[in-house]
């Protein structure tokens, strides 16, 4: 939870659309994925990202938010889109 994730080199969020631009194309982003990925600035820990999301989505279950963030980061890391 103290890891500091960041987007991999060559990957960036599209400024106006819910897509992640990657070297081989684009990934469509659904749900809160964009909200999570915008926080991957190379300075925030996973814990601080979860804390910010809990403030933004008041009333959300902390365990579920943490599990969702960790699951997304794991999937994105497996695809080579983020570095932890």
């Amino acid at each position: 939870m103290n890891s500091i994730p960041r987007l991999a080199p060559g990957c960036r969020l599209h400024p106006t659309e819910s897509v992640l631009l990657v070297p081989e194309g684009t990934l469509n982003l659904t749900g809160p994925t964009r909200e999570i990925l915008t926080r991957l600035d190379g300075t925030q820990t996973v814990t601080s990202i979860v804390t910010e999301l809990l403030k933004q989505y008041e009333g959300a279950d902390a365990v579920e938010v943490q599990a969702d963030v960790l699951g997304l980061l794991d999937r994105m890391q497996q695809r080579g889109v983020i570095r932890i």
Side-chain angles (χ1 to χ4, degrees):
M1 292 293 293
N2 291 322
S3 302
I4 299 175
R6 59 182 167 76
L7 291 175
C11 298
R12 63 186 173 88
L13 289 167
H14 189 280
T16 58
E17 297 179 30
S18 287
V19 296
L20 180 65
L21 305 171
V22 296
E24 59 273 355
T26 60
L27 295 175
N28 290 322
L29 306 177
T30 59
T33 302
R34 185 178 177 87
E35 293 293 325
I36 296 167
L37 295 181
T38 59
R39 290 170 167 79
L40 304 186
D41 60 7
T43 64
Q44 294 192 70
T45 64
V46 173
T47 300
S48 66
I49 292 169
V50 169
T51 300
E52 282 188 19
L53 290 169
L54 288 170
K55 288 177 186 174
Q56 182 175 345
Y57 296 100
E58 200 172 309
D61 182 84
V63 173
E64 285 183 30
V65 170
Q66 180 176 324
D68 289 347
V69 169
L70 291 173
L72 173 69
L73 295 178
D74 183 55
R75 289 188 307 276
M76 292 294 182
Q77 184 178 21
Q78 288 177 15
R79 293 187 81 164
V81 173
I82 66 165
R83 304 280 189 261
I84 298 180

